[in-house]
């Protein structure tokens, strides 16, 4: 029997499409090339001496103020970026418009829940974005714990963030499995004693989840213990 009792899914890049794909979708909506937008985001963070998305993922800035600063950074570029189609001060609303969940990982969460595992979401996210991203995932009846960086003042890969998640779960570290697409987050979780899956593709992640939990997360959402007929 698996020692894992709770499986934590990252949102961005696991339950959602890959982050590069989200930047490409945003370019279609606004005309802002990913490299151009990422440079502006990095400049805003550098002014505060923190990693690129930490100003909003740790709620150091409101979405409105962060968007204002990103807009100014874009206009300082040479040549100035055209931001006429971008609603930067309501960034999350435009960023998530039309975004669909990674159906394979959502179904994996449902399958694991059916098989008796507790499900959580461990996410670096933004206070003002919650009304936009949670409906995309649609796991309200499955995920009973959501630990969100913007509500805790720290974020992955900070060790404190994993400690907070353990306190909420009430479980030893080894009873928790994190599925995350960023190597630095996976390494930090492992250093804190968690079990981990580094998400690189749906087939690879599903195979690793099955190996660690003993549950084959079928696309139809019906859990089958390994060794049983499908």
């Amino acid at each position: 029997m698996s020692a894992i009792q709770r499986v934590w899914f990252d949102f961005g890049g696991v339950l959602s499409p890959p982050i590069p794909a989200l930047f490409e979708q945003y370019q279609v909506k606004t005309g802002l090339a990913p490299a151009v937008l990422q440079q502006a985001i990095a400049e805003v963070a550098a002014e505060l001496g923190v990693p690129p998305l930490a100003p909003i993922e740790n709620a150091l800035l409101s979405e409105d103020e962060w968007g204002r600063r990103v807009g100014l950074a874009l206009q300082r570029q040479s040549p100035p970026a055209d931001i006429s189609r971008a609603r930067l001060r309501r960034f999350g609303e435009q960023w998530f418009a039309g975004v669909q969940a990674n159906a394979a990982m959502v179904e994996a969460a449902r399958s694991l829940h059916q098989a008796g595992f507790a499900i959580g979401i461990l996410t670096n996210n933004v206070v003002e974005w919650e009304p936009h991203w949670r409906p995309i995932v649609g796991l309200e009846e499955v995920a009973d714990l959501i630990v969100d960086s913007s509500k805790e003042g720290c974020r992955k890969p900070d060790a404190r963030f994993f400690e907070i998640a353990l306190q909420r779960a009430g479980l030893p570290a080894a009873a928790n499995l994190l599925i995350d697409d960023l190597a630095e987050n996976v390494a930090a979780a492992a250093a804190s004693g968690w079990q981990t899956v580094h998400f690189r593709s749906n087939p690879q992640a599903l195979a690793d989840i099955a190996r660690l939990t003993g549950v084959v997360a079928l696309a139809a959402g019906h859990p089958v213990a390994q060794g049983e007929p499908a």
Side-chain angles (χ1 to χ4, degrees):
M1 178 141 179
S2 170
I4 295 167
Q5 297 180 55
R6 179 175 289 276
V7 182
W8 297 87
F9 288 79
D10 171 45
F11 171 67
V14 175
L15 292 174
S16 85
I19 300 302
L22 292 176
F23 272 99
E24 290 169 4
Q25 290 180 35
Y26 192 72
Q27 181 178 11
V28 172
K29 299 168 190 175
T30 65
L32 291 170
V36 168
L37 178 58
Q38 289 164 359
Q39 179 183 334
I41 289 171
E43 287 180 13
V44 172
E47 292 171 355
L48 299 174
V50 296
L53 288 173
I56 46 171
E57 289 182 343
N58 281 357
L60 302 176
L61 299 175
S62 67
E63 177 186 45
D64 180 78
E65 174 61 16
W66 178 80
R68 185 186 72 83
R69 296 189 187 194
V70 170
L72 291 174
L74 286 165
Q75 291 175 315
R76 288 195 299 266
Q77 293 184 8
S78 181
D82 179 1
I83 62 173
S84 61
R85 293 163 54 195
R87 300 195 298 273
L88 296 168
R89 297 177 78 156
R90 298 181 62 182
F91 187 90
E93 181 179 56
Q94 189 173 34
W95 176 264
F96 290 114
V99 171
Q100 296 184 340
N102 180 352
M105 286 297 105
V106 170
E107 288 305 320
R110 294 185 185 280
S111 295
L112 290 162
H113 183 256
Q114 280 186 274
F117 292 88
I119 302 299
I121 297 175
L122 195 67
T123 177
N124 289 349
N125 227 302
V126 179
V127 172
E128 295 90 344
W129 296 0
E130 189 171 26
H132 308 300
W133 74 260
R134 286 183 65 159
I136 292 171
V137 174
L139 290 175
E140 301 296 324
E141 78 285 9
V142 172
D144 66 327
L145 274 181
I146 297 177
V147 182
D148 183 332
S149 65
S150 65
K151 299 180 181 180
E152 307 300 339
C154 57
R155 64 200 284 275
K156 295 176 288 184
D158 297 343
R160 175 61 183 152
F161 195 56
F162 294 102
E163 292 171 9
I164 290 169
L166 292 181
Q167 290 169 6
R168 301 278 173 82
L171 293 170
N176 294 267
L177 170 64
L178 174 66
I179 304 161
D180 201 292
D181 63 319
L182 294 184
E184 63 181 1
N185 295 341
V186 171
S192 294
W194 293 43
Q195 300 194 55
T196 61
V197 167
H198 183 190
F199 179 95
R200 293 181 290 275
S201 70
N202 284 330
Q204 163 265 321
L206 289 170
D208 288 347
I209 293 166
R211 174 176 53 81
L212 289 167
T213 64
V215 173
V216 179
L218 301 179
H222 305 298
V224 180
Q226 288 186 315
E228 295 180 3

